[in-house]
Amino acid sequence: MAKFKLQVNNKSYDIEVSEDTPILWVLRDHLNLLGTKYGCGIGQCGACTIHLNGEPVRSCSLPISSVVDNSITTIEGISEAGDHPVQLAWKEIDVPQCGYCQAGQIMTATAFLEKNPKPNSDEIRDAMHSNICRCASYNRIEKAVAKAATANS
Amino acid sequence: MKSQKKNIDRRSFLRTSALAGGGMIIGFNLFNACKPKVKPAIDISKLNFNDFNGFIKIADNGMVTIFAPNPEIGQGVKTSMPMLIAEELDVSWDNVHVVQGGLDMDVFQRQVAGGSQSIRHGWEPLRQTGATAKQMLVNAAAAKWGVDAKECSVENGVISNKKGEKLGYGEVVLDAAKLEVPKDVKLKNPKDFKIIGQDVQNVDVDEIITGKSLFGIDFKREGMLYASVMRPPAFGQKLVSFDDAEAKSKEGVVDVFQFGDKIAVLATSTWIAMQAKKNLKATWKEDTTLESTEDHDKILFDLLAGNTFETLRKDGDINKAFKEADSVLERTYESPFLPHNCLEPMNFFADVTDKKVELVGPIQTPAGTANRIAKELERDIKDVSLEMTRMGGGFGRRLYGDFAIEAALISNIAKKPIQVLFSREDDMADGIYKPAIKYNISAAIKDSKVTGYHLKEAAINSNMYGLISNFFPAGAIENYQVDIANYKSNITTGAWRAPYTNFLAFAEQSFFDELAETMDVDKIQLRLDLLQNVKGTTDERIEYSPERLEAVINEAVEKSNWGKVDKNTYQGFAAYYCHNTHVAEVADVVMEAGVPVVKKVTCVLDCGIVVNPLGARNQVEGGVLDGIGHAMYGNLEFKQGVPQSTNFHNYRLVRMKETPKVEVHFIKNEIAPTGLGEPALPPASAAVANAIKAATGIRITKQPFINASEKIFG
Ligand code: FES
Ligand code: FES
């Protein structure tokens, strides 16, 4: 075990875990931030997507030792009141089905729109392709990303 | 067509009481058979969930809380079922708050999210409940005013009388709670529905988009340990011995022990438990035959060619029809095992102590599972409580309580609260799969008519059940026979979204296209002609309606621009009836870089009244895409009992860029609603295969399509 300092959602945390522990499990089991989900553990599904210095990353494949001194944002931290334009679009379009993948989808979408505020539909589909939704809410995800982008105009 | 029995004794399924803190609580049981031993409750915190399986709380500010009785797996019943109550209660949906109810053991009826039946079963009783509550509130207001209740009207939770006086529900709840439960209440005419038929968002959407803990995997308890379980790597193996020295030496590992043929690793975090499991050295031995996909293929083909069939339905004389036929068409269709791959892997919490057995997690069959656990642990069922959480997908997998039983067994040994979590690898390797199935279909053609139809099913472990052998084209062809045979494997199998019909529809609806080609007739006309033969049938086993199937077919032809699309678009058609719903689908395929790509699917359904069109469209879209995704890519093979796919890098699920647009149309009528979670799935794969045939000239008869022919997908 080793001691680490982490910056998550603008709060700083001291924790003691083994240095190979993926951030996903640090968030879930140690910091009780349960919005970030486990789906595959090997970087394939995107359920665990968080932002590392604003970049979308797969927290299941990111050991804690590699992220100290970086700032982490999780689904709990992208807005105070659940009113990020992406969240609002998700709600309006009623995207979720079972809902399990949606935190990861939203984290991928918010990071993508930061980079590309006015994407076309191919760009959206490209960006969201790496996130699995087992309930196949894909068409609504595409719509919601496009909708959220209109807030950028 | 059969009609459901309706005799609901409201006295036995509904009780009301004033709430200590103000307001009124109405406890109801979903179904009439509930035992009438219910005592009125006085305080919501003291309400005994053994007495009711649903509650409505009306606060003195008029706010309504509905405790939904059904578990949510993503089919939207947690939203749509309360809508039924709110409709008849005549309150504004904005004033309704929905909460997931707990398990009701005693008067349990159908607290199972499976089979697309929730709405169908709740339609009448839930509306009765709402209407009864409303009548009591109106009666209370009428008594206060000294007028006849018949002269009062209600809008959005406000009662008015002829003089124009008004009372909100909140103002009369205390009086209403003291009144007798009225016996005869009138349900609304569907024309007057205000909530039913409106787009209503998922009631949990705010929690989901903000990452609130809703799911089983999110459940935590002070002092809880995380359990990772090593199970036999191959179906047919048993545990001989294991060495846990290395695993136990890891910091954070609390305990390692054997239970049955499995080994549990208990640790202070999920990660430590998962990692330490990898340090176990176990020796396994062959207990029963280690089976491979090759063996299954041979076994199923032998079954199809053999004579060990059981006949499920037999009309006329198929032998005679085939002997006298001008020509015969025969085809075989094949499908593999499929894992469910719910995105939330199987998991469960258990805390077994001398006093009680506490279980929390995502399960579709809470009562059955609680009973099994009571038996396993030799405990009185009264000691067992089971709380359902939201589920990250179900698809049939969470009907089986294996993971909950594991959790209970482990906690029982450890005497600590624990959570079992399957890794994705565990989830895929320790599944209860859709069984591999093959169909052989032959048709006899004489004088340009289909005179005989013979369907043979060879399946692993179990065959089609219920009325499936009586679905279309049963009743449409004079000489008709359905035969089934199966092979008992040690690989565990079970329900997978739209069991049996998920592949049967592919086989039959592909076959009809081939049949039309052989007969040189129009593909859709062939189906419509056959349906004419079913009209007016007195056969009780036929539950599909030829008229309703005909209507969805015609509507799909129109909505999809069938036959009128540009020359680069190739269309495929399929129509099917299952889960009490009639569906027709058209897939549009174009060739991109020499490969067929599905661009759009038009789906027309007759599922009766659509309670929540927004949720319903989501369900249908998901079903269509699930059907296409699994038909295209889904494949679980076995070698010596070991599943060959382990995670999403070698098990392909449909993703965004492979997703066609899905256009959903509902037939408008005033018939009681039927299921929606499943019926859109079965015809989708056939519509796509038929479109691929149109685009490439190649007929796919085997799933997954991606492996069907190098000529198609390279
Ligand atoms: S859990 Fe990290 S990508 Fe799947
Ligand atoms: S909503 Fe169920 S996995 Fe995406």
Side-chain angles (χ1 to χ4, degrees), chain B residues 73-84:
Chain B
I73 55 175
Q75 336 132 295
V77 292
K78 189 174 165 187
T79 308
S80 55
M81 296 186 77
M83 285 174 72
L84 303 181

Side-chain angles (χ1 to χ4, degrees), chain A residues 95-102 105 132-137 141, chain B residues 73 343 392-393 395:
Chain A
V95 175
Q97 218 146 306
C98 84
Y100 193 76
C101 71
Q102 301 297 344
Q105 307 278 4
I132 289 175
C133 175
R134 175 65 182 85
C135 304
S137 61
I141 291 172
Chain B
I73 55 175
L343 201 57
F395 313 109

Side-chain angles (χ1 to χ4, degrees), chain A residues 24 37-49 58-61, chain B residues 648:
Chain A
L24 168 66
K37 294 292 189 267
Y38 166 77
C40 69
I42 60 165
Q44 284 284 326
C45 74
C48 65
T49 306
R58 302 284 156 100
S59 66
C60 68
S61 311
Chain B
F648 297 138

Side-chain angles (χ1 to χ4, degrees), chain A residues 29 38-39 125-126 134 138, chain B residues 220 270 340 424 654 657 659:
Chain A
D29 291 355
Y38 166 77
R125 287 164 76 85
D126 246 7
R134 175 65 182 85
Y138 297 121
Chain B
K220 305 271 174 188
T270 311
H340 298 83
R424 174 57 55 198
V654 69
K657 282 200 278 186
T659 300

